[in-house]
Amino acid sequence: LTGREALEMMARLYGLGRRERAPRVAALLERLGLRGAEDRKLGHYSRGMLRRWGLAQAMVHEPRLLVLDEPTDGLDPLGRIQFKGLIRELAAAGTTVVLSSHLLAEVEHICDRITVMHRGKVLAEGTVDALLVNRGETQIHVRGLDDRGLAALNEQVRALGGEVLGATPHRATLEDVFVRLVGADDG
């Protein structure tokens, strides 16, 4: 089947009528970046395209709960960013999204609540901030200070009873650099 045919079949299985089915399928194909490939056979889709088609399949009946296991596996960096944005949109629109992933940095940026499990046991759960914020440490980002200025800042921190644990130049993530370099060319 083509991407469109297979998605229409899924919509039929969920009981969507003909009038509702065609526009919903077209909207999902557009939303998930599959416009232009909808008439290609699924067997000719790349791994990333199949991931996006799978999400379209899961969304075709507008579920209130969506369970995703490693949803960005096989996607390129821009595909991951688009996918994460879509997951956030779904959650903002009221869909409960349960995400299982070993990509913890990704989980941290997508989820608002996290459950950490190991060997079938819940080790921790809560909001991202509740799990990640260390109340005993504060991170300060400074721009425009030379070594002398940083030394003076360090003295001030010590005078207030604190301790500077380290000072390192700000570093962008590889994803930031990639998007800056190729993102403008992507559309």
Side-chain angles (χ1 to χ4, degrees), residues 63-79:
R64 291 179 34 205
L65 171 65
L66 190 59
V67 179
L68 304 173
D69 183 26
E70 303 287 352
T72 60
D73 185 41
L75 297 179
D76 63 33
L78 291 176

Side-chain angles (χ1 to χ4, degrees), residues 137-154:
E137 293 181 20
T138 301
Q139 189 173 37
I140 300 174
H141 296 275
V142 178
R143 179 178 296 146
L145 289 181
D146 59 13
D147 287 343
R148 225 172 4 162
L150 287 173
L153 179 62
N154 192 12

Side-chain angles (χ1 to χ4, degrees), residues 45-184:
Y45 276 21
S46 69
R47 189 171 178 191
M49 291 170 75
L50 286 171
R51 279 292 191 184
R52 292 194 308 270
W53 184 88
L55 183 58
Q57 173 188 345
M59 294 170 50
V60 76
H61 67 295
E62 298 178 342
R64 291 179 34 205
L65 171 65
L66 190 59
V67 179
L68 304 173
D69 183 26
E70 303 287 352
T72 60
D73 185 41
L75 297 179
D76 63 33
L78 291 176
R80 285 178 187 268
I81 291 168
Q82 291 168 343
F83 210 91
K84 290 186 282 189
L86 182 58
I87 292 170
R88 283 190 211 99
E89 284 176 31
L90 290 169
T95 302
T96 300
V97 181
V98 177
L99 174 78
S100 173
S101 180
H102 293 90
L103 302 173
L104 301 183
E106 194 167 273
V107 170
E108 180 181 338
H109 290 105
I110 296 174
C111 301
D112 55 4
R113 294 194 56 78
I114 297 173
T115 300
V116 179
M117 297 181 70
H118 182 65
R119 296 185 177 159
K121 295 189 181 189
V122 174
L123 301 180
E125 60 185 315
T127 65
V128 174
D129 281 345
L131 292 175
L132 300 182
V133 172
N134 182 341
R135 303 284 180 220
E137 293 181 20
T138 301
Q139 189 173 37
I140 300 174
H141 296 275
V142 178
R143 179 178 296 146
L145 289 181
D146 59 13
D147 287 343
R148 225 172 4 162
L150 287 173
L153 179 62
N154 192 12
E155 301 258 342
Q156 288 292 317
V157 170
R158 270 193 248 140
L160 293 169
E163 176 187 6
V164 174
L165 300 175
T168 56
H170 176 70
R171 239 178 95 120
T173 66
L174 184 57
E175 187 175 88
D176 294 334
V177 172
F178 182 85
V179 169
R180 182 172 29 105
L181 294 173
V182 303

